[in-house]
């Protein structure tokens, strides 16, 4: 990340102009104001998120199969690569829409093309886990070419430094797609390294494009969009775990074995929601450096949240004898992503709102205890759920005590 100072974004159009009765099918794609009031996610953005979760769900299904068959190493690597494509495409559109969404017909059509690309990508996830990324790359290309079209349209509607930023984005996106296509023709042994290089180049595009001037993304809107996607991913985790438990009960009559896993999984997901939304993060999204670190760090938040559901499915399959792995390995499929989630949320924003050593150590210690639960045998998931629930209770108690002390000091 670069800490190069950035000049503030241009004021942009007046909010009243954006909400004017002008409903022409095609309008100029002008920047919105960062201080715009009542900026919330649109129905198109919510639809966009839901379609992306289809791809997330497919990745989770394949991760379950890989771990259950004893191929955890290759499965995690494939999952990480597929999830990068999903996350990066989602994130790029999210920040663009925060700055430029004018909701005209052309904007909607190009966005729907991106959604179509997501569905193509989702259809290729299974083949990607078999080391065939052709369909995934095709879907990704559709998404990213549509994204470049958004930026070119923004460049056409603007001038000066704003236009330069838009052109840099469009050029960077298009150049990277050439690299992804080239990866398809590289030897299989070198493909992992090419993927890593291309992923790094993709992440450098926003840093380069906004080096001198940042786009007018809206802090409240961005925080809401990330929060909504977190909720959707956690919801997918709940759905996947519920289906796994239901199937285990119906096919194997193993309610006694599955109840601890189900209860522990629910506690983990509930705690994950509580901890993520425990602090209002939008006030920290003031500089481009903070925004990059926070936005990029959410790769681990989203990926680990989705992997928790996959891990619960693995634990269920192992408990009914359908997974060819040990109880400890199945437990680790839940506890490791849970610990990663706790640590990442703490590192990205929770630690900035903690007062005193006890508050600062709550989440890191909880993550360590969750990992220790891996060795609790068939009670591992339930024990991890109790730890995360206790983490919430301790955090609430410490925050309340800190608030009382602050009020007493002021009095």
């Amino acid at each position: 990340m670069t800490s190069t100072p950035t000049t503030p974004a241009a004021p942009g159009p007046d909010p009243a102009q954006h909400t004017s009765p002008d409903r022409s099918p095609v309008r100029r794609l002008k920047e919105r104001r960062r201080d715009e009031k009542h900026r919330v996610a649109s129905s198109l953005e919510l639809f966009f998120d839901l379609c992306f979760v289809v791809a997330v769900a497919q990745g989770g299904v394949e991760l379950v199969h890989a771990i259950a068959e004893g191929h955890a190493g290759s499965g995690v690597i494939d999952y990480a690569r597929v999830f990068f494509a999903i996350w990066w495409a989602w994130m790029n559109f999210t920040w663009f829409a925060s700055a430029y969404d004018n909701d005209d017909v052309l904007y909607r059509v190009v966005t729907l093309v991106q959604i179509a690309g997501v569905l193509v990508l989702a259809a290729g996830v299974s083949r990607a886990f078999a080391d065939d990324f052709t369909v995934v790359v095709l879907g990704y290309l559709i998404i990213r070419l549509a994204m470049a079209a958004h930026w070119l349209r923004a460049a056409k509607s603007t001038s000066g430094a704003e236009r330069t930023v838009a052109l840099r984005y469009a050029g960077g996106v298009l150049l990277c797609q050439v690299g992804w296509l080239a990866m398809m023709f590289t030897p299989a042994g070198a493909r992992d390294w090419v993927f890593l290089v291309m992923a790094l180049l993709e992440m450098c595009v926003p840093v380069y494009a906004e080096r001198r001037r940042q786009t007018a993304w809206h802090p409240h809107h961005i925080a809401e969009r990330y929060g909504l996607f977190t909720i959707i991913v956690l919801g997918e985790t709940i759905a996947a775990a519920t289906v796994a438990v239901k199937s285990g009960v119906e096919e194997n009559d193993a309610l006694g074995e599955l109840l601890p896993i189900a209860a522990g999984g629910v506690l983990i997901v509930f705690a994950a929601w509580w901890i993520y939304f425990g602090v209002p993060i939008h006030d920290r999204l003031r500089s481009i450096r903070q925004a990059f670190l926070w936005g990029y760090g959410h790769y681990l938040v989203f990926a680990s949240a989705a992997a928790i559901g996959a891990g619960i499915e693995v634990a269920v399959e192992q408990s009914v004898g359908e997974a060819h792995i040990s109880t400890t390995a199945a437990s680790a499929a839940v506890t490791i992503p849970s610990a990663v989630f706790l640590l990442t949320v703490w590192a990205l924003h929770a630690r900035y709102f903690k007062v005193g050593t006890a508050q600062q150590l709550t989440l890191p210690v909880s993550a360590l205890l969750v990992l220790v639960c891996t060795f609790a045998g068939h009670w591992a998931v339930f024990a991890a759920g109790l730890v995360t629930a206790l983490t919430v209770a301790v955090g609430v108690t410490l925050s309340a005590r800190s608030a009382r002390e602050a009020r007493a000091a002021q009095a």
Side-chain angles (χ1 to χ4, degrees):
M1 288 301 161
T2 178
S3 58
T4 305
T6 57
T7 56
D14 186 83
Q17 293 178 352
H18 187 83
T19 56
S20 66
D22 178 16
R23 304 303 299 172
S24 303
V26 178
R27 300 183 293 275
R28 288 186 62 197
L29 202 61
K30 299 184 292 184
E31 273 190 324
R32 301 178 68 154
R33 293 184 65 96
R34 292 194 66 182
D35 59 353
E36 184 179 334
K37 303 297 183 182
H38 311 298
R39 183 77 165 90
V40 296
S42 67
S43 59
L44 179 59
E45 287 175 316
L46 296 177
F47 184 46
F48 189 83
D49 291 356
L50 287 172
C51 293
F52 264 83
V53 172
V54 173
V56 172
Q58 291 300 310
V61 168
E62 296 303 323
L63 179 61
V64 170
H65 291 163
I67 296 177
E69 293 299 322
H71 306 300
S74 60
V76 170
I77 292 174
D78 289 337
Y79 176 76
R81 291 190 292 188
V82 168
F83 204 93
F84 173 83
I86 298 168
W87 161 76
W88 187 247
W90 177 87
M91 194 181 81
N92 274 229
F93 172 76
T94 295
W95 289 79
F96 173 86
S98 187
Y100 284 101
D101 180 4
N102 71 347
D103 197 35
D104 69 355
V105 170
L106 187 54
Y107 177 87
R108 290 186 176 190
V109 170
V110 175
T111 302
L112 291 174
V113 170
Q114 289 181 282
I115 291 175
V118 174
L119 300 179
V120 173
L121 188 155
V125 168
S126 296
R127 296 177 65 177
F129 274 73
D131 207 30
D132 180 1
F133 281 83
T134 304
V135 179
V136 166
V137 170
L138 175 60
Y140 186 75
L141 285 173
I142 295 172
I143 301 169
R144 301 299 281 155
L145 290 176
M147 190 72 252
H150 272 315
W151 281 116
L152 288 172
R153 187 181 174 208
K156 183 179 180 180
S157 301
T158 58
S159 60
E162 182 182 349
R163 184 172 186 271
T164 299
V165 171
L167 288 175
R168 284 178 174 178
Y169 264 114
V173 169
L174 292 173
L175 185 61
C176 284
Q177 303 327 296
V178 175
W180 290 117
L181 281 175
M183 186 187 76
M184 302 306 301
F185 300 97
T186 58
R191 200 164 291 169
D192 289 346
W193 291 105
V194 175
F195 182 95
L196 181 60
V197 171
M198 289 309 306
L200 292 173
L201 288 176
E202 284 271 21
M203 290 188 288
C204 286
V205 171
V207 178
Y208 166 70
E210 303 200 27
R211 184 177 53 174
R212 302 294 183 186
R213 179 194 187 278
Q214 69 184 65
T215 53
W217 46 269
H218 195 288
H220 284 81
H221 179 248
I222 286 294
E224 181 193 29
R225 295 287 288 111
Y226 273 71
L228 289 172
F229 198 70
T230 300
I231 289 175
I232 292 174
V233 170
L234 290 175
E236 168 58 31
T237 292
I238 287 285
T242 301
V243 171
V245 172
K246 177 177 179 291
S247 299
V249 171
E250 292 179 349
E251 297 174 8
N252 299 278
D253 193 22
L255 183 60
E257 292 85 350
L258 298 181
L259 272 179
I261 297 174
V266 168
L267 287 175
I268 291 171
V269 175
F270 284 2
W273 168 83
W274 195 304
I275 291 167
Y276 183 89
F277 291 98
V279 293
I281 190 58
H282 58 266
D283 286 336
R284 282 201 57 80
L285 301 181
R286 296 302 179 188
S287 73
I288 195 66
R289 182 176 182 274
Q290 290 170 333
F292 275 134
L293 291 174
W294 184 83
Y296 283 18
H298 267 73
Y299 170 79
L300 290 176
V301 173
F302 295 151
S304 61
I308 290 171
I312 294 172
E313 289 189 69
V314 171
V316 168
E317 291 191 9
Q318 195 280 331
S319 69
V320 298
E322 295 181 1
H324 308 295
I325 55 175
S326 67
T327 301
T328 301
S331 301
V334 179
T335 57
I336 290 176
S338 298
V340 170
F341 182 90
L342 293 173
L343 283 175
T344 308
V345 171
W346 172 79
L348 290 182
H349 55 246
R351 64 191 177 96
Y352 298 109
F353 298 86
K354 303 300 181 182
V355 179
T357 303
Q359 287 194 40
Q360 285 291 354
L361 289 178
T362 299
L363 288 180
V365 170
S366 175
L368 179 60
L369 292 176
V370 166
L371 290 176
V372 171
C373 291
T374 304
F375 307 99
H378 293 289
W379 292 93
V381 177
F382 184 69
L386 291 179
V387 169
T388 56
L390 183 60
T391 300
V392 171
V394 170
V396 170
T397 301
L398 291 175
S399 296
R401 181 187 299 174
S402 177
R404 286 196 303 268
E405 291 175 352
R407 288 195 297 267
Q410 290 177 354

